Amino acid sequence: MAIVFEQPKKKINWFGIITGVFSVVFLASLVYYLFFAPTPKIETVLPDALKKTNQISNLQFIDPSPVLSSPEFKSLKLYVGPPGTGILGRANPFLPA
């Protein structure tokens, strides 16, 4: 009588294979997007509010002397006094009051 021993079948580690494939795909896409992908144009990234600031920054400087020498501007000094420092505190704040 012959004794037949069956060889145990090796189990396939599907989790290891899926993890390996995922990590290779992840690293390949990371390298592509970091080094080889075309860069987006700056006009497509900027919102409309920043485009308006470009128009404002191109304005020409106007001489303020006509406004500063006008009597209306000088009359504002009657309502707004010179700036003051206010009360700065005591000389030694650690002494009792």
Side-chain angles (χ1 to χ4, degrees), residues 14-38:
W14 289 107
F15 181 75
I17 292 173
I18 292 172
T19 304
V21 168
F22 176 76
S23 60
V24 167
V25 169
F26 178 75
L27 287 175
S29 63
L30 184 70
V31 167
Y32 172 75
Y33 283 112
L34 282 177
F35 299 111
F36 300 112

mmCIF file with all atom_site columns, all heavy atoms in Angstrom, residues 14-38:
data_model
loop_
_atom_site.group_PDB
_atom_site.id
_atom_site.type_symbol
_atom_site.label_atom_id
_atom_site.label_alt_id
_atom_site.label_comp_id
_atom_site.label_asym_id
_atom_site.label_entity_id
_atom_site.label_seq_id
_atom_site.pdbx_PDB_ins_code
_atom_site.Cartn_x
_atom_site.Cartn_y
_atom_site.Cartn_z
_atom_site.occupancy
_atom_site.B_iso_or_equiv
_atom_site.pdbx_formal_charge
_atom_site.auth_seq_id
_atom_site.auth_comp_id
_atom_site.auth_asym_id
_atom_site.auth_atom_id
_atom_site.pdbx_PDB_model_num
ATOM 1   N N   . TRP A 1 14 ? -2.725 38.034 -0.823  1.00 0.00 ? 14 TRP A N   1
ATOM 2   C CA  . TRP A 1 14 ? -3.363 39.054 -1.657  1.00 0.00 ? 14 TRP A CA  1
ATOM 3   C C   . TRP A 1 14 ? -3.182 40.445 -1.072  1.00 0.00 ? 14 TRP A C   1
ATOM 4   O O   . TRP A 1 14 ? -3.039 41.416 -1.811  1.00 0.00 ? 14 TRP A O   1
ATOM 5   C CB  . TRP A 1 14 ? -4.843 38.751 -1.831  1.00 0.00 ? 14 TRP A CB  1
ATOM 6   C CG  . TRP A 1 14 ? -5.080 37.569 -2.710  1.00 0.00 ? 14 TRP A CG  1
ATOM 7   C CD1 . TRP A 1 14 ? -5.497 36.325 -2.326  1.00 0.00 ? 14 TRP A CD1 1
ATOM 8   C CD2 . TRP A 1 14 ? -4.901 37.501 -4.117  1.00 0.00 ? 14 TRP A CD2 1
ATOM 9   N NE1 . TRP A 1 14 ? -5.593 35.487 -3.397  1.00 0.00 ? 14 TRP A NE1 1
ATOM 10  C CE2 . TRP A 1 14 ? -5.222 36.202 -4.528  1.00 0.00 ? 14 TRP A CE2 1
ATOM 11  C CE3 . TRP A 1 14 ? -4.483 38.400 -5.083  1.00 0.00 ? 14 TRP A CE3 1
ATOM 12  C CZ2 . TRP A 1 14 ? -5.154 35.780 -5.836  1.00 0.00 ? 14 TRP A CZ2 1
ATOM 13  C CZ3 . TRP A 1 14 ? -4.426 37.988 -6.393  1.00 0.00 ? 14 TRP A CZ3 1
ATOM 14  C CH2 . TRP A 1 14 ? -4.752 36.703 -6.760  1.00 0.00 ? 14 TRP A CH2 1
ATOM 15  N N   . PHE A 1 15 ? -3.200 40.568 0.229   1.00 0.00 ? 15 PHE A N   1
ATOM 16  C CA  . PHE A 1 15 ? -3.019 41.876 0.860   1.00 0.00 ? 15 PHE A CA  1
ATOM 17  C C   . PHE A 1 15 ? -1.640 42.444 0.538   1.00 0.00 ? 15 PHE A C   1
ATOM 18  O O   . PHE A 1 15 ? -1.507 43.635 0.233   1.00 0.00 ? 15 PHE A O   1
ATOM 19  C CB  . PHE A 1 15 ? -3.210 41.765 2.382   1.00 0.00 ? 15 PHE A CB  1
ATOM 20  C CG  . PHE A 1 15 ? -3.051 43.081 3.095   1.00 0.00 ? 15 PHE A CG  1
ATOM 21  C CD1 . PHE A 1 15 ? -4.050 44.037 3.019   1.00 0.00 ? 15 PHE A CD1 1
ATOM 22  C CD2 . PHE A 1 15 ? -1.906 43.360 3.816   1.00 0.00 ? 15 PHE A CD2 1
ATOM 23  C CE1 . PHE A 1 15 ? -3.903 45.249 3.666   1.00 0.00 ? 15 PHE A CE1 1
ATOM 24  C CE2 . PHE A 1 15 ? -1.750 44.570 4.462   1.00 0.00 ? 15 PHE A CE2 1
ATOM 25  C CZ  . PHE A 1 15 ? -2.756 45.527 4.394   1.00 0.00 ? 15 PHE A CZ  1
ATOM 26  N N   . GLY A 1 16 ? -0.619 41.616 0.575   1.00 0.00 ? 16 GLY A N   1
ATOM 27  C CA  . GLY A 1 16 ? 0.726  42.072 0.245   1.00 0.00 ? 16 GLY A CA  1
ATOM 28  C C   . GLY A 1 16 ? 0.858  42.484 -1.214  1.00 0.00 ? 16 GLY A C   1
ATOM 29  O O   . GLY A 1 16 ? 1.514  43.477 -1.536  1.00 0.00 ? 16 GLY A O   1
ATOM 30  N N   . ILE A 1 17 ? 0.216  41.727 -2.103  1.00 0.00 ? 17 ILE A N   1
ATOM 31  C CA  . ILE A 1 17 ? 0.279  42.046 -3.533  1.00 0.00 ? 17 ILE A CA  1
ATOM 32  C C   . ILE A 1 17 ? -0.457 43.355 -3.822  1.00 0.00 ? 17 ILE A C   1
ATOM 33  O O   . ILE A 1 17 ? 0.051  44.224 -4.534  1.00 0.00 ? 17 ILE A O   1
ATOM 34  C CB  . ILE A 1 17 ? -0.310 40.890 -4.364  1.00 0.00 ? 17 ILE A CB  1
ATOM 35  C CG1 . ILE A 1 17 ? 0.611  39.666 -4.258  1.00 0.00 ? 17 ILE A CG1 1
ATOM 36  C CG2 . ILE A 1 17 ? -0.492 41.301 -5.812  1.00 0.00 ? 17 ILE A CG2 1
ATOM 37  C CD1 . ILE A 1 17 ? 0.046  38.421 -4.899  1.00 0.00 ? 17 ILE A CD1 1
ATOM 38  N N   . ILE A 1 18 ? -1.646 43.522 -3.240  1.00 0.00 ? 18 ILE A N   1
ATOM 39  C CA  . ILE A 1 18 ? -2.415 44.756 -3.452  1.00 0.00 ? 18 ILE A CA  1
ATOM 40  C C   . ILE A 1 18 ? -1.683 45.953 -2.859  1.00 0.00 ? 18 ILE A C   1
ATOM 41  O O   . ILE A 1 18 ? -1.625 47.028 -3.469  1.00 0.00 ? 18 ILE A O   1
ATOM 42  C CB  . ILE A 1 18 ? -3.837 44.602 -2.867  1.00 0.00 ? 18 ILE A CB  1
ATOM 43  C CG1 . ILE A 1 18 ? -4.625 43.584 -3.692  1.00 0.00 ? 18 ILE A CG1 1
ATOM 44  C CG2 . ILE A 1 18 ? -4.559 45.937 -2.814  1.00 0.00 ? 18 ILE A CG2 1
ATOM 45  C CD1 . ILE A 1 18 ? -5.967 43.222 -3.106  1.00 0.00 ? 18 ILE A CD1 1
ATOM 46  N N   . THR A 1 19 ? -1.084 45.784 -1.689  1.00 0.00 ? 19 THR A N   1
ATOM 47  C CA  . THR A 1 19 ? -0.321 46.870 -1.075  1.00 0.00 ? 19 THR A CA  1
ATOM 48  C C   . THR A 1 19 ? 0.876  47.248 -1.929  1.00 0.00 ? 19 THR A C   1
ATOM 49  O O   . THR A 1 19 ? 1.185  48.428 -2.114  1.00 0.00 ? 19 THR A O   1
ATOM 50  C CB  . THR A 1 19 ? 0.135  46.469 0.344   1.00 0.00 ? 19 THR A CB  1
ATOM 51  O OG1 . THR A 1 19 ? -1.013 46.098 1.114   1.00 0.00 ? 19 THR A OG1 1
ATOM 52  C CG2 . THR A 1 19 ? 0.867  47.599 1.029   1.00 0.00 ? 19 THR A CG2 1
ATOM 53  N N   . GLY A 1 20 ? 1.559  46.269 -2.463  1.00 0.00 ? 20 GLY A N   1
ATOM 54  C CA  . GLY A 1 20 ? 2.715  46.541 -3.314  1.00 0.00 ? 20 GLY A CA  1
ATOM 55  C C   . GLY A 1 20 ? 2.332  47.252 -4.601  1.00 0.00 ? 20 GLY A C   1
ATOM 56  O O   . GLY A 1 20 ? 2.987  48.211 -5.022  1.00 0.00 ? 20 GLY A O   1
ATOM 57  N N   . VAL A 1 21 ? 1.260  46.792 -5.240  1.00 0.00 ? 21 VAL A N   1
ATOM 58  C CA  . VAL A 1 21 ? 0.802  47.425 -6.479  1.00 0.00 ? 21 VAL A CA  1
ATOM 59  C C   . VAL A 1 21 ? 0.342  48.854 -6.197  1.00 0.00 ? 21 VAL A C   1
ATOM 60  O O   . VAL A 1 21 ? 0.663  49.785 -6.951  1.00 0.00 ? 21 VAL A O   1
ATOM 61  C CB  . VAL A 1 21 ? -0.327 46.582 -7.129  1.00 0.00 ? 21 VAL A CB  1
ATOM 62  C CG1 . VAL A 1 21 ? -1.012 47.355 -8.246  1.00 0.00 ? 21 VAL A CG1 1
ATOM 63  C CG2 . VAL A 1 21 ? 0.229  45.272 -7.640  1.00 0.00 ? 21 VAL A CG2 1
ATOM 64  N N   . PHE A 1 22 ? -0.381 49.063 -5.114  1.00 0.00 ? 22 PHE A N   1
ATOM 65  C CA  . PHE A 1 22 ? -0.836 50.405 -4.756  1.00 0.00 ? 22 PHE A CA  1
ATOM 66  C C   . PHE A 1 22 ? 0.342  51.335 -4.498  1.00 0.00 ? 22 PHE A C   1
ATOM 67  O O   . PHE A 1 22 ? 0.340  52.477 -4.945  1.00 0.00 ? 22 PHE A O   1
ATOM 68  C CB  . PHE A 1 22 ? -1.750 50.354 -3.527  1.00 0.00 ? 22 PHE A CB  1
ATOM 69  C CG  . PHE A 1 22 ? -2.175 51.708 -3.054  1.00 0.00 ? 22 PHE A CG  1
ATOM 70  C CD1 . PHE A 1 22 ? -3.155 52.415 -3.734  1.00 0.00 ? 22 PHE A CD1 1
ATOM 71  C CD2 . PHE A 1 22 ? -1.589 52.285 -1.933  1.00 0.00 ? 22 PHE A CD2 1
ATOM 72  C CE1 . PHE A 1 22 ? -3.549 53.664 -3.306  1.00 0.00 ? 22 PHE A CE1 1
ATOM 73  C CE2 . PHE A 1 22 ? -1.974 53.535 -1.512  1.00 0.00 ? 22 PHE A CE2 1
ATOM 74  C CZ  . PHE A 1 22 ? -2.953 54.230 -2.194  1.00 0.00 ? 22 PHE A CZ  1
ATOM 75  N N   . SER A 1 23 ? 1.344  50.861 -3.773  1.00 0.00 ? 23 SER A N   1
ATOM 76  C CA  . SER A 1 23 ? 2.488  51.726 -3.476  1.00 0.00 ? 23 SER A CA  1
ATOM 77  C C   . SER A 1 23 ? 3.281  52.056 -4.739  1.00 0.00 ? 23 SER A C   1
ATOM 78  O O   . SER A 1 23 ? 3.760  53.185 -4.900  1.00 0.00 ? 23 SER A O   1
ATOM 79  C CB  . SER A 1 23 ? 3.383  51.095 -2.410  1.00 0.00 ? 23 SER A CB  1
ATOM 80  O OG  . SER A 1 23 ? 3.863  49.854 -2.857  1.00 0.00 ? 23 SER A OG  1
ATOM 81  N N   . VAL A 1 24 ? 3.414  51.114 -5.665  1.00 0.00 ? 24 VAL A N   1
ATOM 82  C CA  . VAL A 1 24 ? 4.124  51.396 -6.920  1.00 0.00 ? 24 VAL A CA  1
ATOM 83  C C   . VAL A 1 24 ? 3.350  52.409 -7.759  1.00 0.00 ? 24 VAL A C   1
ATOM 84  O O   . VAL A 1 24 ? 3.925  53.357 -8.307  1.00 0.00 ? 24 VAL A O   1
ATOM 85  C CB  . VAL A 1 24 ? 4.364  50.086 -7.708  1.00 0.00 ? 24 VAL A CB  1
ATOM 86  C CG1 . VAL A 1 24 ? 4.809  50.365 -9.126  1.00 0.00 ? 24 VAL A CG1 1
ATOM 87  C CG2 . VAL A 1 24 ? 5.389  49.224 -6.991  1.00 0.00 ? 24 VAL A CG2 1
ATOM 88  N N   . VAL A 1 25 ? 2.021  52.245 -7.852  1.00 0.00 ? 25 VAL A N   1
ATOM 89  C CA  . VAL A 1 25 ? 1.200  53.197 -8.607  1.00 0.00 ? 25 VAL A CA  1
ATOM 90  C C   . VAL A 1 25 ? 1.233  54.567 -7.941  1.00 0.00 ? 25 VAL A C   1
ATOM 91  O O   . VAL A 1 25 ? 1.337  55.597 -8.617  1.00 0.00 ? 25 VAL A O   1
ATOM 92  C CB  . VAL A 1 25 ? -0.248 52.668 -8.738  1.00 0.00 ? 25 VAL A CB  1
ATOM 93  C CG1 . VAL A 1 25 ? -1.188 53.736 -9.267  1.00 0.00 ? 25 VAL A CG1 1
ATOM 94  C CG2 . VAL A 1 25 ? -0.273 51.448 -9.627  1.00 0.00 ? 25 VAL A CG2 1
ATOM 95  N N   . PHE A 1 26 ? 1.175  54.617 -6.626  1.00 0.00 ? 26 PHE A N   1
ATOM 96  C CA  . PHE A 1 26 ? 1.208  55.885 -5.903  1.00 0.00 ? 26 PHE A CA  1
ATOM 97  C C   . PHE A 1 26 ? 2.531  56.603 -6.125  1.00 0.00 ? 26 PHE A C   1
ATOM 98  O O   . PHE A 1 26 ? 2.560  57.803 -6.403  1.00 0.00 ? 26 PHE A O   1
ATOM 99  C CB  . PHE A 1 26 ? 0.965  55.645 -4.411  1.00 0.00 ? 26 PHE A CB  1
ATOM 100 C CG  . PHE A 1 26 ? 1.023  56.892 -3.589  1.00 0.00 ? 26 PHE A CG  1
ATOM 101 C CD1 . PHE A 1 26 ? -0.026 57.789 -3.620  1.00 0.00 ? 26 PHE A CD1 1
ATOM 102 C CD2 . PHE A 1 26 ? 2.125  57.167 -2.802  1.00 0.00 ? 26 PHE A CD2 1
ATOM 103 C CE1 . PHE A 1 26 ? 0.020  58.949 -2.869  1.00 0.00 ? 26 PHE A CE1 1
ATOM 104 C CE2 . PHE A 1 26 ? 2.186  58.323 -2.053  1.00 0.00 ? 26 PHE A CE2 1
ATOM 105 C CZ  . PHE A 1 26 ? 1.120  59.213 -2.075  1.00 0.00 ? 26 PHE A CZ  1
ATOM 106 N N   . LEU A 1 27 ? 3.641  55.901 -6.020  1.00 0.00 ? 27 LEU A N   1
ATOM 107 C CA  . LEU A 1 27 ? 4.953  56.526 -6.235  1.00 0.00 ? 27 LEU A CA  1
ATOM 108 C C   . LEU A 1 27 ? 5.138  56.977 -7.675  1.00 0.00 ? 27 LEU A C   1
ATOM 109 O O   . LEU A 1 27 ? 5.706  58.045 -7.929  1.00 0.00 ? 27 LEU A O   1
ATOM 110 C CB  . LEU A 1 27 ? 6.070  55.557 -5.834  1.00 0.00 ? 27 LEU A CB  1
ATOM 111 C CG  . LEU A 1 27 ? 6.250  55.355 -4.337  1.00 0.00 ? 27 LEU A CG  1
ATOM 112 C CD1 . LEU A 1 27 ? 7.303  54.293 -4.078  1.00 0.00 ? 27 LEU A CD1 1
ATOM 113 C CD2 . LEU A 1 27 ? 6.618  56.655 -3.660  1.00 0.00 ? 27 LEU A CD2 1
ATOM 114 N N   . ALA A 1 28 ? 4.637  56.188 -8.632  1.00 0.00 ? 28 ALA A N   1
ATOM 115 C CA  . ALA A 1 28 ? 4.758  56.580 -10.035 1.00 0.00 ? 28 ALA A CA  1
ATOM 116 C C   . ALA A 1 28 ? 3.946  57.843 -10.317 1.00 0.00 ? 28 ALA A C   1
ATOM 117 O O   . ALA A 1 28 ? 4.423  58.760 -11.003 1.00 0.00 ? 28 ALA A O   1
ATOM 118 C CB  . ALA A 1 28 ? 4.303  55.445 -10.940 1.00 0.00 ? 28 ALA A CB  1
ATOM 119 N N   . SER A 1 29 ? 2.728  57.925 -9.784  1.00 0.00 ? 29 SER A N   1
ATOM 120 C CA  . SER A 1 29 ? 1.924  59.130 -10.007 1.00 0.00 ? 29 SER A CA  1
ATOM 121 C C   . SER A 1 29 ? 2.509  60.320 -9.280  1.00 0.00 ? 29 SER A C   1
ATOM 122 O O   . SER A 1 29 ? 2.474  61.442 -9.787  1.00 0.00 ? 29 SER A O   1
ATOM 123 C CB  . SER A 1 29 ? 0.478  58.886 -9.572  1.00 0.00 ? 29 SER A CB  1
ATOM 124 O OG  . SER A 1 29 ? 0.439  58.622 -8.177  1.00 0.00 ? 29 SER A OG  1
ATOM 125 N N   . LEU A 1 30 ? 3.084  60.114 -8.110  1.00 0.00 ? 30 LEU A N   1
ATOM 126 C CA  . LEU A 1 30 ? 3.725  61.198 -7.377  1.00 0.00 ? 30 LEU A CA  1
ATOM 127 C C   . LEU A 1 30 ? 4.912  61.754 -8.144  1.00 0.00 ? 30 LEU A C   1
ATOM 128 O O   . LEU A 1 30 ? 5.063  62.971 -8.273  1.00 0.00 ? 30 LEU A O   1
ATOM 129 C CB  . LEU A 1 30 ? 4.160  60.697 -5.992  1.00 0.00 ? 30 LEU A CB  1
ATOM 130 C CG  . LEU A 1 30 ? 4.761  61.723 -5.057  1.00 0.00 ? 30 LEU A CG  1
ATOM 131 C CD1 . LEU A 1 30 ? 3.673  62.676 -4.598  1.00 0.00 ? 30 LEU A CD1 1
ATOM 132 C CD2 . LEU A 1 30 ? 5.394  61.035 -3.876  1.00 0.00 ? 30 LEU A CD2 1
ATOM 133 N N   . VAL A 1 31 ? 5.734  60.887 -8.676  1.00 0.00 ? 31 VAL A N   1
ATOM 134 C CA  . VAL A 1 31 ? 6.890  61.334 -9.465  1.00 0.00 ? 31 VAL A CA  1
ATOM 135 C C   . VAL A 1 31 ? 6.428  62.063 -10.725 1.00 0.00 ? 31 VAL A C   1
ATOM 136 O O   . VAL A 1 31 ? 6.989  63.095 -11.097 1.00 0.00 ? 31 VAL A O   1
ATOM 137 C CB  . VAL A 1 31 ? 7.795  60.129 -9.811  1.00 0.00 ? 31 VAL A CB  1
ATOM 138 C CG1 . VAL A 1 31 ? 8.813  60.479 -10.880 1.00 0.00 ? 31 VAL A CG1 1
ATOM 139 C CG2 . VAL A 1 31 ? 8.495  59.631 -8.563  1.00 0.00 ? 31 VAL A CG2 1
ATOM 140 N N   . TYR A 1 32 ? 5.381  61.569 -11.372 1.00 0.00 ? 32 TYR A N   1
ATOM 141 C CA  . TYR A 1 32 ? 4.886  62.222 -12.585 1.00 0.00 ? 32 TYR A CA  1
ATOM 142 C C   . TYR A 1 32 ? 4.373  63.631 -12.279 1.00 0.00 ? 32 TYR A C   1
ATOM 143 O O   . TYR A 1 32 ? 4.732  64.588 -12.953 1.00 0.00 ? 32 TYR A O   1
ATOM 144 C CB  . TYR A 1 32 ? 3.780  61.389 -13.223 1.00 0.00 ? 32 TYR A CB  1
ATOM 145 C CG  . TYR A 1 32 ? 3.097  62.115 -14.361 1.00 0.00 ? 32 TYR A CG  1
ATOM 146 C CD1 . TYR A 1 32 ? 3.742  62.251 -15.592 1.00 0.00 ? 32 TYR A CD1 1
ATOM 147 C CD2 . TYR A 1 32 ? 1.842  62.680 -14.205 1.00 0.00 ? 32 TYR A CD2 1
ATOM 148 C CE1 . TYR A 1 32 ? 3.136  62.930 -16.633 1.00 0.00 ? 32 TYR A CE1 1
ATOM 149 C CE2 . TYR A 1 32 ? 1.240  63.354 -15.245 1.00 0.00 ? 32 TYR A CE2 1
ATOM 150 C CZ  . TYR A 1 32 ? 1.892  63.479 -16.462 1.00 0.00 ? 32 TYR A CZ  1
ATOM 151 O OH  . TYR A 1 32 ? 1.298  64.156 -17.480 1.00 0.00 ? 32 TYR A OH  1
ATOM 152 N N   . TYR A 1 33 ? 3.517  63.769 -11.258 1.00 0.00 ? 33 TYR A N   1
ATOM 153 C CA  . TYR A 1 33 ? 2.928  65.075 -10.976 1.00 0.00 ? 33 TYR A CA  1
ATOM 154 C C   . TYR A 1 33 ? 3.937  66.057 -10.393 1.00 0.00 ? 33 TYR A C   1
ATOM 155 O O   . TYR A 1 33 ? 3.765  67.261 -10.520 1.00 0.00 ? 33 TYR A O   1
ATOM 156 C CB  . TYR A 1 33 ? 1.719  64.937 -10.050 1.00 0.00 ? 33 TYR A CB  1
ATOM 157 C CG  . TYR A 1 33 ? 0.512  64.437 -10.793 1.00 0.00 ? 33 TYR A CG  1
ATOM 158 C CD1 . TYR A 1 33 ? -0.012 63.177 -10.544 1.00 0.00 ? 33 TYR A CD1 1
ATOM 159 C CD2 . TYR A 1 33 ? -0.100 65.215 -11.766 1.00 0.00 ? 33 TYR A CD2 1
ATOM 160 C CE1 . TYR A 1 33 ? -1.104 62.710 -11.226 1.00 0.00 ? 33 TYR A CE1 1
ATOM 161 C CE2 . TYR A 1 33 ? -1.198 64.754 -12.460 1.00 0.00 ? 33 TYR A CE2 1
ATOM 162 C CZ  . TYR A 1 33 ? -1.700 63.502 -12.186 1.00 0.00 ? 33 TYR A CZ  1
ATOM 163 O OH  . TYR A 1 33 ? -2.785 63.051 -12.877 1.00 0.00 ? 33 TYR A OH  1
ATOM 164 N N   . LEU A 1 34 ? 4.965  65.568 -9.742  1.00 0.00 ? 34 LEU A N   1
ATOM 165 C CA  . LEU A 1 34 ? 5.979  66.478 -9.197  1.00 0.00 ? 34 LEU A CA  1
ATOM 166 C C   . LEU A 1 34 ? 6.975  66.941 -10.247 1.00 0.00 ? 34 LEU A C   1
ATOM 167 O O   . LEU A 1 34 ? 7.421  68.094 -10.225 1.00 0.00 ? 34 LEU A O   1
ATOM 168 C CB  . LEU A 1 34 ? 6.728  65.811 -8.038  1.00 0.00 ? 34 LEU A CB  1
ATOM 169 C CG  . LEU A 1 34 ? 5.997  65.768 -6.708  1.00 0.00 ? 34 LEU A CG  1
ATOM 170 C CD1 . LEU A 1 34 ? 6.834  65.019 -5.693  1.00 0.00 ? 34 LEU A CD1 1
ATOM 171 C CD2 . LEU A 1 34 ? 5.696  67.160 -6.206  1.00 0.00 ? 34 LEU A CD2 1
ATOM 172 N N   . PHE A 1 35 ? 7.362  66.063 -11.165 1.00 0.00 ? 35 PHE A N   1
ATOM 173 C CA  . PHE A 1 35 ? 8.473  66.388 -12.057 1.00 0.00 ? 35 PHE A CA  1
ATOM 174 C C   . PHE A 1 35 ? 8.102  66.512 -13.530 1.00 0.00 ? 35 PHE A C   1
ATOM 175 O O   . PHE A 1 35 ? 8.755  67.238 -14.266 1.00 0.00 ? 35 PHE A O   1
ATOM 176 C CB  . PHE A 1 35 ? 9.581  65.335 -11.909 1.00 0.00 ? 35 PHE A CB  1
ATOM 177 C CG  . PHE A 1 35 ? 10.154 65.274 -10.525 1.00 0.00 ? 35 PHE A CG  1
ATOM 178 C CD1 . PHE A 1 35 ? 9.934  64.180 -9.720  1.00 0.00 ? 35 PHE A CD1 1
ATOM 179 C CD2 . PHE A 1 35 ? 10.900 66.320 -10.028 1.00 0.00 ? 35 PHE A CD2 1
ATOM 180 C CE1 . PHE A 1 35 ? 10.465 64.112 -8.452  1.00 0.00 ? 35 PHE A CE1 1
ATOM 181 C CE2 . PHE A 1 35 ? 11.428 66.279 -8.759  1.00 0.00 ? 35 PHE A CE2 1
ATOM 182 C CZ  . PHE A 1 35 ? 11.215 65.164 -7.971  1.00 0.00 ? 35 PHE A CZ  1
ATOM 183 N N   . PHE A 1 36 ? 7.085  65.813 -14.009 1.00 0.00 ? 36 PHE A N   1
ATOM 184 C CA  . PHE A 1 36 ? 6.834  65.756 -15.441 1.00 0.00 ? 36 PHE A CA  1
ATOM 185 C C   . PHE A 1 36 ? 5.524  66.389 -15.891 1.00 0.00 ? 36 PHE A C   1
ATOM 186 O O   . PHE A 1 36 ? 5.350  66.669 -17.070 1.00 0.00 ? 36 PHE A O   1
ATOM 187 C CB  . PHE A 1 36 ? 6.871  64.295 -15.917 1.00 0.00 ? 36 PHE A CB  1
ATOM 188 C CG  . PHE A 1 36 ? 8.184  63.634 -15.654 1.00 0.00 ? 36 PHE A CG  1
ATOM 189 C CD1 . PHE A 1 36 ? 8.273  62.608 -14.725 1.00 0.00 ? 36 PHE A CD1 1
ATOM 190 C CD2 . PHE A 1 36 ? 9.329  64.032 -16.313 1.00 0.00 ? 36 PHE A CD2 1
ATOM 191 C CE1 . PHE A 1 36 ? 9.479  61.990 -14.468 1.00 0.00 ? 36 PHE A CE1 1
ATOM 192 C CE2 . PHE A 1 36 ? 10.542 63.419 -16.063 1.00 0.00 ? 36 PHE A CE2 1
ATOM 193 C CZ  . PHE A 1 36 ? 10.622 62.399 -15.143 1.00 0.00 ? 36 PHE A CZ  1
ATOM 194 N N   . ALA A 1 37 ? 4.586  66.609 -15.003 1.00 0.00 ? 37 ALA A N   1
ATOM 195 C CA  . ALA A 1 37 ? 3.294  67.175 -15.393 1.00 0.00 ? 37 ALA A CA  1
ATOM 196 C C   . ALA A 1 37 ? 3.461  68.643 -15.756 1.00 0.00 ? 37 ALA A C   1
ATOM 197 O O   . ALA A 1 37 ? 4.291  69.344 -15.178 1.00 0.00 ? 37 ALA A O   1
ATOM 198 C CB  . ALA A 1 37 ? 2.291  67.025 -14.254 1.00 0.00 ? 37 ALA A CB  1
ATOM 199 N N   . PRO A 1 38 ? 2.709  69.132 -16.734 1.00 0.00 ? 38 PRO A N   1
ATOM 200 C CA  . PRO A 1 38 ? 2.808  70.558 -17.082 1.00 0.00 ? 38 PRO A CA  1
ATOM 201 C C   . PRO A 1 38 ? 2.276  71.420 -15.940 1.00 0.00 ? 38 PRO A C   1
ATOM 202 O O   . PRO A 1 38 ? 1.301  71.069 -15.276 1.00 0.00 ? 38 PRO A O   1
ATOM 203 C CB  . PRO A 1 38 ? 1.929  70.684 -18.329 1.00 0.00 ? 38 PRO A CB  1
ATOM 204 C CG  . PRO A 1 38 ? 1.014  69.516 -18.278 1.00 0.00 ? 38 PRO A CG  1
ATOM 205 C CD  . PRO A 1 38 ? 1.757  68.428 -17.575 1.00 0.00 ? 38 PRO A CD  1
#
